[in-house]
Amino acid sequence: MTPDDLVVTPRGLRFQGQLFPCTIGKTGITRRKKEGDGATPTGIHRIVGMLYRPDRMAKPADWALPIGLNDLWSDDAGHEDYNMMVRAPYPHSHEKLRRADPLYDLVLLTDWNWPYAVKGRGSAIFMHQYRRPGFPTEGCVALSRHNLRRIAPRITLQTRLIVS
């Protein structure tokens, strides 16, 4: 591990010598991730992208990409675009990236089951804003808006999310 790794611990997310409260999947951490199980997968996950809502915040890092009106994430395990960013119109099962609530105003994308997805192994394992302290996710790692915005400019494409 390096100081630039994001490490999920029982006490929170450790990053650059600081500890940030975070939440994980509603069914805890698993070694056998499956689509829809509500668990956060163990492992060393690379941060492979950063998305943000340009209508709600300034660009958090040089390499961040804006979330557009038609941006979606495929969670259809039976489709070739499974666990990939897609654009509307998209007739298969998906999640909207441009949400009415603020949860995806800033999203760090991990390489969980990407870029060559195994069907049904789980999709959209992100780092994003939590609903409120202690409220679990569907498998992502979530932080307060303030802490996510503090962390985002300090990470690079070499930063890893470590979940054990």
Side-chain angles (χ1 to χ4, degrees):
M1 282 185 258
T2 72
D4 290 333
D5 287 333
L6 298 153
V7 182
V8 175
T9 75
R11 295 181 47 226
L13 183 79
R14 191 174 64 238
F15 178 65
Q16 295 183 341
Q18 294 182 280
L19 194 62
F20 301 91
C22 73
T23 60
I24 59 169
K26 62 187 175 188
T27 59
I29 294 173
T30 186
R31 295 183 195 279
R32 294 188 176 96
K33 177 74 182 149
K34 294 180 184 149
E35 186 68 41
D37 65 3
T40 301
T42 61
I44 299 173
H45 314 294
R46 290 181 306 118
I47 302 297
V48 295
M50 183 184 303
L51 306 173
Y52 73 102
R53 286 282 301 266
D55 58 321
R56 294 184 177 173
M57 64 183 294
K59 189 174 189 175
D62 290 345
W63 51 281
L65 298 174
I67 297 172
L69 292 171
N70 296 320
D71 290 339
L72 312 169
W73 198 271
S74 174
D75 58 11
D76 189 331
H79 195 267
E80 64 185 22
D81 293 324
Y82 177 58
N83 200 28
M84 301 289 283
M85 191 169 168
V86 295
R87 295 186 56 83
Y90 185 75
H92 309 284
S93 180
H94 62 271
E95 186 174 1
K96 289 183 180 181
L97 293 176
R98 194 171 183 107
R99 297 169 57 121
D101 65 29
L103 297 188
Y104 285 3
D105 285 1
L106 177 56
V107 178
L108 302 177
L109 308 175
T110 74
D111 69 346
W112 171 256
N113 200 23
W114 180 92
Y116 306 107
V118 174
K119 305 294 183 190
R121 193 166 177 228
S123 63
I125 301 301
F126 302 150
M127 286 185 66
H128 62 77
Q129 180 179 323
Y130 56 44
R131 291 184 191 282
R132 62 182 181 272
F135 193 89
T137 69
E138 295 298 317
C140 296
V141 174
L143 298 108
S144 72
R145 180 179 193 84
H146 174 77
N147 288 337
L148 188 60
R149 284 186 172 197
R150 281 181 60 201
I151 288 170
R154 295 161 49 193
I155 67 167
T156 68
L157 287 173
Q158 285 72 49
T159 300
R160 303 175 303 171
L161 173 65
I162 300 174
V163 181
S164 55

